[in-house]
């Protein structure tokens, strides 16, 4: 940012020119930013909303450009009053750029090994000095150009191209990683556009420039108002833009703002009774679940490939439910929900020590022999929460608990029937084959890609299912056969792979087929849930369903003719802090922690591309009301720790409701929790409210309550409030937080949260505490947060901890990413192994990206060779693209 050459008059025109250039350059950068985002297809943006999206992005960046232009004007006003304007301008701009250049120079050496390099601090100082000299030289050269005269097109064209290239790099290179890297690219993009405009723009009249600046401020304010009022716009700007998202995070948009509120709960209508379902009081029951089988890869559900001829035949002779949801997109909680008929993810958080009755336990009381055949993967996620089930094997009497081939698994089942010869049996078998990593089975080849091998696994399992059903029905002709899956599988439909990461249809929708001898085949539309299996089986067998089971008896829909699909209740699912409700082809997904909801009309948008939360707020509000009612109903079915310890009941005040929402990770619960913490509620409730405020993301609305609570006479509340206040920026609390971390008598959960707060503030003194939490592995979400925080912290002590946990599958991708952020050469060999041999596609891709971030790899020919080999030979486009990108990044850095 400069003055014109020495001959330029010292008037206000150059200052005004910089202000205009800043505004116009920022607006142009915002236009390119929005155009690239729209080119990537943002669901939920109508034509009008797309224009608002562009306008908001342009307005935000124009405002940032105004600030840059103001700095340019300040530089001019100083420089033209000196004997060497160009040199003064260079010094001023170098001063402005010093914080970012210094930050970048030192951020390069935050990894363990990089920080251990001799003279690395001197190298950082040299890099910073070189960067500042480069800025100084560039500004001097730029300032000597005849900016008052129309320039040749080569220079501004080159600047615009550089800005566009920086914008593309910001979007495509190391997305969501290395904040300093993306901030630097954002600054480079904006400056390139501003400088290009400065070569053309003259000063103009002061009144017009002032009016342009005022319009820019008003437009930016209007943009903030639009963002506060639209969930779709907030999502689009925050998640899909490279520049607008950074500007939005720096401005007061309000993360917790909510456009969707709870709708009224509809009263029960006076409806005719449902038809009586079939009854088979003495029947055998065989429940078959297939891991990771998404509904739309089954022929009976419309899949074109011949993957499931035997399952299709079963569906043709039974009742096929068309819209079926698992309660969680991973095996552990979905199977637990099915066998207990409870929303087990919620139960594990609300009442972790509570004993939940299983269908096997109920049936054993009525004389049924029970047997289960399933792999250890069923207890893979949050094994501590499933400990009671792991110890009792879900209360089954006869158990085969091992990884085994599908056909050998069938042999085990047939041997059970032939040797045990149960009079009445309930048997559950879980086939594991379609779970990743996928392999091709001889005789079931579809191709070499992930999707092809996945279909091969399905076809191989289908053959085993066909053999099993045929043999069981030949031995026991009256057997009721129920076939379902535990969850679906994603193949990049919403930017992910496998399962356990979203509540979109591809991960939640599953098949459900109920084959009852003597019941006419038919199809049932409308939403049903996996946890409906248990009450359906119990009613088929004419056994009373325990009162605390939440599922729906599907018997009326198994009848001929079936009950109306419109009489089916909503379906719910959950994943970490996200909740889903689906009813009548409408679907709402809410992030309870961040306060965003997305509404989809599945009848016209089955692939969930268009978020209509703003276009149909009344429908979104109605579904949110159903979701709130469902969450509140948990207290009516299960006791909670607060009720047990303090003797309170759900009807006594709002304490239990606020605590329930807090346990479920709902960001909107924070104000109520803060009020509860400072109230006269029972001490147990106040303590838990304080603890939950430390678990939820920090919110400014709770600052005053937390500050006051630091003086609470109860040490537990005061300690939690100290951590909460520190997370909200109260640096004076650092010493007390550090003391909590250092004291082994501090409750384990609070100690971990205190260590996380310190790490987020750049203090690694709590790393040993975080390492202990990773060793316990009792909370996957917490472990993921710890791994991410360790990566961003950049402390060398985190590297051996992450390497020790790298063999664990659950968070391996996150650990690989964190190792890349740390940039430690000690991670090169393990990352190479991940790139070359890991069975999981996202892990291989992340390993390629992480290798490109480690300084030593510039001189390591093994890395270049491995990346080139992956780019040539890997079968997955995701890995190929990541390897090529990483190789290109290393090549550019080497030059």
């Amino acid at each position: 940012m400069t003055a014109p050459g020495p001959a330029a008059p010292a008037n206000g025109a150059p200052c005004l020119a910089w202000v205009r250039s800043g505004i116009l350059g920022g607006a142009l950068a915002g236009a390119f930013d929005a155009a690239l985002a729209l080119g990537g297809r943002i669901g939920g943006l109508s034509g009008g909303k797309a224009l608002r999206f562009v306008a908001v992005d342009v307005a935000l960046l124009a405002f940032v450009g105004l600030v840059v232009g103001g700095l340019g004007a300040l530089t001019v006003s100083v420089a033209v009053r000196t004997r060497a304007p160009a040199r003064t301008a260079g010094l001023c701009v170098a001063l402005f750029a010093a914080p970012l250049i210094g930050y970048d120079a030192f951020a390069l050496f935050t990894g363990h090994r990089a920080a251990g390099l001799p003279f690395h601090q001197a190298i950082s100082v040299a890099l910073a000095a070189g960067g500042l000299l480069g800025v100084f030289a560039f500004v001097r050269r730029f300032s000597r150009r005849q900016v008052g005269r129309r320039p040749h097109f080569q220079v501004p064209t080159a600047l615009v191209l550089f800005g566009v290239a920086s914008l593309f790099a910001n979007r495509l290179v190391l997305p969501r990683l290395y904040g300093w890297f993306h901030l630097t690219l954002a600054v480079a993009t904006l400056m390139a556009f501003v400088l290009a405009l400065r070569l053309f723009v003259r000063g103009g009249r002061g009144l017009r420039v002032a009016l342009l600046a005022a319009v820019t401020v008003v437009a930016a304010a209007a943009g903030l108002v639009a963002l506060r009022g639209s969930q779709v716009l907030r999502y689009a700007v925050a998640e899909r833009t490279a520049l607008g998202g950074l500007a939005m995070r720096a401005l007061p948009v309000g993360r917790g703002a909510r456009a969707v509120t709870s709708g009224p709960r509809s009263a029960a209508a006076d409806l005719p009774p449902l038809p009586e379902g079939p009854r088979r009081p003495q029947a055998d029951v065989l429940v078959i679940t297939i891991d990771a089988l998404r509904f739309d890869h089954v022929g009976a559900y419309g899949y074109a490939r011949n993957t499931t001829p035997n399952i299709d035949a079963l569906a043709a002779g039974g009742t096929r439910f068309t819209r079926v949801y698992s309660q969680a997109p991973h095996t552990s909680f979905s199977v637990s929900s099915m066998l207990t008929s409870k929303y087990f993810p919620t139960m594990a958080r609300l009442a972790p020590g509570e004993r939940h009755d299983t269908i096997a336990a109920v049936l054993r009381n009525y004389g049924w022999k029970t047997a289960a055949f399933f792999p250890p993967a069923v207890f893979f996620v949050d094994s501590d929460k499933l400990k009671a089930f792991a110890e009792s094997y879900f209360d089954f009497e006869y158990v085969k608990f091992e990884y085994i081939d599908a056909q050998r698994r069938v042999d085990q089942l047939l041997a059970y029937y032939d040797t045990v010869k149960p009079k009445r049996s309930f048997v559950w078998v879980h086939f594991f084959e379609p779970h990743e990593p996928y392999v091709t089975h001889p005789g079931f080849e579809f191709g070499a890609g992930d999707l092809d091998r996945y279909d091969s696994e399905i076809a191989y399992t289908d053959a085993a299912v066909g053999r099993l059903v045929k043999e069981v029905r030949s031995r026991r002709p009256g057997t009721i056969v129920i076939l379902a899956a535990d969850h679906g599988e994603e193949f990049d439909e919403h930017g992910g792979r496998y399962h356990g990461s979203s509540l979109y249809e591809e991960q939640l929708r599953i098949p459900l087929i109920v084959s009852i001898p003597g019941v006419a085949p038919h199809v049932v539309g409308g939403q049903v849930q996996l946890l409906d299996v248990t009450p359906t089986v119990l009613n088929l067998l004419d056994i009373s369903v325990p009162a605390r089971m939440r599922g729906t008896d599907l018997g009326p829909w198994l009848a001929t003719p079936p009950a109306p699909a419109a009489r089916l209740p909503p379906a719910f699912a959950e994943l970490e802090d996200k909740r889903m409700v689906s009813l009548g082809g409408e679907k709402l997904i809410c992030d309870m922690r961040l306060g965003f909801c997305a509404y989809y009309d599945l009848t016209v948008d089955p692939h969930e591309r268009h978020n209509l939360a703003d276009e149909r707020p009344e429908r979104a509000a109605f579904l949110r009301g159903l979701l709130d009612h469902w969450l509140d109903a948990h207290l009516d079915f299960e006791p909670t720790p607060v009720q047990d310890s303090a003797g309170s009941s759900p009807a006594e005040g709002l304490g239990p409701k606020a605590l329930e929402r807090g346990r479920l990770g709902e960001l909107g619960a924070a104000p109520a929790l803060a009020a509860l913490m400072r109230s006269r509620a029972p001490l147990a409730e106040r303590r838990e409210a304080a603890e939950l405020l430390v678990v939820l993301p920090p919110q400014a609305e709770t600052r005053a309550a937390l500050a006051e609570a630091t003086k609470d006479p109860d040490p537990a509340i005061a300690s939690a409030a100290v951590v909460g206040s520190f997370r909200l920026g109260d640096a004076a609390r650092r010493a007390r937080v550090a003391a909590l971390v250092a004291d082994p008598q501090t409750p384990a959960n609070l100690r971990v949260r205190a260590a996380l707060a310190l790490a987020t503030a750049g203090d690694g003194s709590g790393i040993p505490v975080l390492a202990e939490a990773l060793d316990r592995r009792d909370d996957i979400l917490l472990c993921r947060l710890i791994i991410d925080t360790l990566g961003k912290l950049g402390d060398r002590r985190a590297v051996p901890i992450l390497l020790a946990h790298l063999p664990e599958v659950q968070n391996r991708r996150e650990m690989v990413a964190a190792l890349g952020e740390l940039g430690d050469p000690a991670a090169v060999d393990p990352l190479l192994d991940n790139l070359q041999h890991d069975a999981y596609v996202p892990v291989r891709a992340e390993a390629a990206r992480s290798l490109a971030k480690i300084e030593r790899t510039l001189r390591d020919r093994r890395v270049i060779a491995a990346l080139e080999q992956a780019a040539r030979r890997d079968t997955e486009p995701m890995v190929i693209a990541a390897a090529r990108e990483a190789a290109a990044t290393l090549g550019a850095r080497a030059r």
Side-chain angles (χ1 to χ4, degrees), residues 565-604:
R567 297 284 298 275
L568 285 163
F572 300 95
E574 45 198 324
L575 172 67
E576 296 170 351
D577 297 313
K578 298 180 178 65
R579 306 286 183 271
M580 183 281 295
V581 57
S582 179
L583 177 67
E586 297 178 294
K587 181 175 177 180
L588 190 76
I589 302 174
C590 291
D591 189 314
M592 313 303 283
R593 185 171 287 258
L594 298 180
F596 290 89
C597 289
Y599 166 84
Y600 299 101
D601 184 348
L602 300 176
T603 58
V604 296

Side-chain angles (χ1 to χ4, degrees), residues 6-154:
N11 54 33
C15 295
L16 296 177
W18 271 111
V19 173
R20 289 182 63 199
S21 301
I23 295 172
L24 297 177
L28 185 60
F32 271 100
D33 189 36
L36 287 179
L38 288 174
R41 298 193 307 171
I42 304 174
L45 295 186
S46 61
K49 194 163 289 180
L51 290 177
R52 287 172 61 198
F53 169 74
V54 174
V56 167
D57 206 8
V58 169
L60 292 180
L61 268 298
F63 179 79
V64 176
L66 172 61
V67 175
V68 173
L71 293 176
L74 176 64
T75 300
V76 167
S77 66
V78 172
V80 296
R81 290 173 170 79
T82 64
R83 294 183 178 181
R87 181 181 302 171
T88 304
L91 290 173
C92 288
V93 176
L95 180 64
F96 292 142
L100 180 61
I101 291 175
Y103 177 53
D104 289 352
F106 283 91
L108 290 171
F109 294 92
T110 55
H112 169 52
R113 291 293 181 85
L117 290 174
F119 310 113
H120 71 89
Q121 292 182 334
I123 297 172
S124 293
V125 171
L127 289 173
L132 292 173
L133 286 174
V135 169
F136 174 77
F138 174 81
V139 173
R140 286 190 65 189
R141 184 181 181 88
F142 185 86
S143 66
R144 289 172 175 170
R145 298 190 61 83
Q146 298 295 321
V147 295
R149 188 182 67 194
R150 186 174 297 277
H152 296 296
F153 281 96
Q154 291 89 335

Side-chain angles (χ1 to χ4, degrees), residues 722 726 730-742 758 763 765:
V722 164
F726 179 67
D730 188 352
R733 310 289 181 188
R734 180 187 291 268
R736 287 185 66 183
V737 173
L740 289 171
V741 173
L758 287 176
D763 184 342
S765 60

Side-chain angles (χ1 to χ4, degrees), residues 372-588:
F373 303 78
F374 61 102
V378 165
F379 301 121
F380 188 69
V381 175
D382 283 341
S383 56
D384 280 2
K385 295 185 176 78
L386 300 167
K387 185 176 181 181
F389 292 147
E391 292 174 348
S392 67
Y393 298 111
F394 293 110
D395 299 312
F396 283 92
E397 297 167 281
Y398 183 99
V399 175
K400 289 292 186 181
F401 180 67
E402 60 189 322
Y403 292 105
I404 194 171
D405 172 84
Q407 291 291 351
R408 291 177 59 199
R409 183 70 85 188
V410 173
D411 293 338
Q412 286 183 338
L413 269 85
L414 297 180
Y416 167 77
Y417 284 111
D418 292 340
T419 57
V420 177
K421 298 180 180 179
K423 181 179 178 181
R424 293 173 297 181
S425 64
F426 175 79
V427 177
W428 167 53
V429 58
H430 186 77
F431 291 107
F432 193 61
E433 266 74 5
H435 196 284
E436 90 288 337
Y438 319 118
V439 299
T440 298
H441 294 270
F444 303 95
E445 296 90 351
F446 295 100
D450 248 16
L451 197 62
D452 302 315
R453 288 180 280 116
Y454 172 68
D455 282 345
S456 178
E457 297 264 42
I458 293 172
Y460 179 75
T461 306
D462 175 80
V465 168
R467 176 179 164 228
L468 174 62
V469 173
K470 179 182 177 181
E471 294 292 339
V472 170
R473 282 270 171 85
S474 68
R475 288 165 170 78
R476 295 166 178 260
T479 300
I480 298 169
V481 178
I482 299 175
L483 183 138
D486 54 353
H487 53 76
E489 195 81 337
E490 183 177 355
F491 291 91
D492 297 321
E493 286 86 353
H494 287 91
R497 281 292 183 103
Y498 309 135
H499 53 267
S501 59
S502 83
L503 295 177
Y504 291 112
E505 297 287 277
E506 58 272 6
Q507 291 199 32
L508 277 186
R509 283 278 297 278
I510 57 174
L512 176 61
I513 298 164
V514 181
S515 175
I516 307 172
V519 173
H522 56 278
V523 177
V524 177
Q527 66 289 326
V528 300
Q529 308 178 84
L530 186 60
L531 57 70
D532 295 337
V533 167
T534 283
T536 300
V537 169
L538 293 177
N539 276 299
L540 280 169
L541 301 178
D542 218 6
I543 295 173
S544 298
V545 179
R548 287 166 63 184
M549 289 187 172
R550 303 288 304 276
T552 298
D553 171 25
L554 299 178
W557 290 269
L558 296 172
T560 307
R567 297 284 298 275
L568 285 163
F572 300 95
E574 45 198 324
L575 172 67
E576 296 170 351
D577 297 313
K578 298 180 178 65
R579 306 286 183 271
M580 183 281 295
V581 57
S582 179
L583 177 67
E586 297 178 294
K587 181 175 177 180
L588 190 76

Side-chain angles (χ1 to χ4, degrees), residues 288-321:
I288 302 169
T289 53
I290 301 175
D291 210 298
L293 175 61
R294 51 190 280 174
F295 79 104
D296 56 358
H297 278 243
V298 177
Y301 287 82
Y303 196 44
R305 274 182 174 174
N306 187 29
T307 52
T308 55
N310 294 289
I311 295 175
D312 299 344
L314 188 69
T319 302
R320 175 169 61 87
F321 293 86

